[in-house]
Amino acid sequence: MIVPVRYQIAGRSAAEIAASVEEGLRSGALEPGQLLPPVRALAQALGVAPATVAAAYRSLRERGVVETAGRKGTRIRPAPPVATRIARPVVAPPGTIDLSTGEPDRRLLPALGPFLRRLAAEAAEPLGYGYGPLPELVDAATQRFAADGVPVGDDAAISVTSGALDAIERLLASRLRMGDRVGIEDPCWANVIDLVAALGLHAVPIPVDDEGPTVDGLRRALAAGVSAVVVTSRAHNPTGAAVSAERAARLRRVLAGAPDVLVIEDDHAAELAEVPLSTLAAPGRPWAFVRSLSKPYGPDLRIAVVAGDEATIARLEGRQLLGSRWVSTLLQRLAVYLWHDDRVAATVDRARAEYGRRRAALVSALAERGVAARGHTGINVWVSVEDEAGAVAALRDLGYAVAPGSLFRLHAPPGLRISIGGLDLSDVNRVADAVATAVAAPPGRATV
Ligand SMILES: Cc1ncc(COP(=O)(O)O)c(C=O)c1O
């Protein structure tokens, strides 16, 4: 539901009006999703020309603070790039089982204790400036990438960033300008939609089926003039799609006709993926292959390794040098330790199997109840619904928090994302019962 704004927006100029909206967000008086007053109404209330308010809204839109959906008006984006001073509202009220976050199950992550002790012993000396990717980490990444068919030959380079989103942000910012187009999956990871909006780029949706982005969708995006595309290799968030070998071959052929377009692949499930990697990366074009350690080893490590052609990686590192400069070698050493430890590898194997069991159990329990769900790989299951808000509310009443599909989609049909990080196998049938009830509720009638 969109809540109309009660906060009094002030200002006489476009800059003041835009600043006032930002102040509302900072203070918490304005919240994500809230509808702003129509241009004419606000102009009248403030005694300014409609063009002034329109200019304020435009500048907020260009920075990804608001979005305008035709007749539905202008509203605050779900994740505007302005931090709020108040704590974000809790999605899952106390007592509910939280299946909304997309987080890995912390019980399935490797324990860091032994590696922190080793770090204390081996990296006790304070260091100064001037570090970059640790050669040991680059070597380990090179081996893993090569084993998966990522073309890390002589004309490729590897770098390290503070997670996948950091890499995608720097890659896009180093190549695209405000107003440029970028092809993104539809639906896709909400952070990518929000990032693209915050960079002032235009998202061109590429539909996804269980085998990845559709070939037609990619063709249309290229025809629309995108300068980059972002593709999730496996464990697509929110649908669980994974790019198949056959689809990858077809997509690569289409991409060969657009040799200047930057292809960014996000392999965030990495060692947790239950299917082999089929990469789109190909020498002779700009490409970047991003592998985060967040899902298998823990989001708080804040590390991703990125392979790409030399020019793309040089730009990425150039941007990084003007920002966070490099990823702390302490974190990089931790990543090296984790990647070389057999017990950690066994923990990750167990996690992969457990996520597979939970997903398969949920998808089949839903199917038994007549609810079609997608969840081929990864830690999310996607259920199509007619009325997202109604189904989310109905599930909340039944004790479960799930994410509304609106956060993840541009033109794709509505749905719910059910994350299995917080799902115990013993709860699967109860969750499936609740989802079946919520999905069956008539549109607009959220109560059950
Ligand atoms: C598609 C996708 N990519 C990457 C990530 C991880 O990002 P990061 O490495 O910034 O933690 C996630 C986490 O949910 C994701 O869903």
Side-chain angles (χ1 to χ4, degrees), residues 102 163-165 189 232 237 266 268 292 294-295 302:
L165 197 59
W189 185 28
T232 313
N237 179 0
D266 175 3
H268 73 117
S292 167
S294 290
K295 291 284 154 39
R302 305 295 336 117

Side-chain angles (χ1 to χ4, degrees), residues 342-362:
D342 289 343
R343 273 161 312 178
V344 170
T347 304
V348 174
D349 286 347
R350 276 195 298 278
R352 179 175 60 241
E354 173 63 18
Y355 289 131
R357 274 192 294 275
R358 292 183 194 176
R359 239 188 22 255
L362 181 59

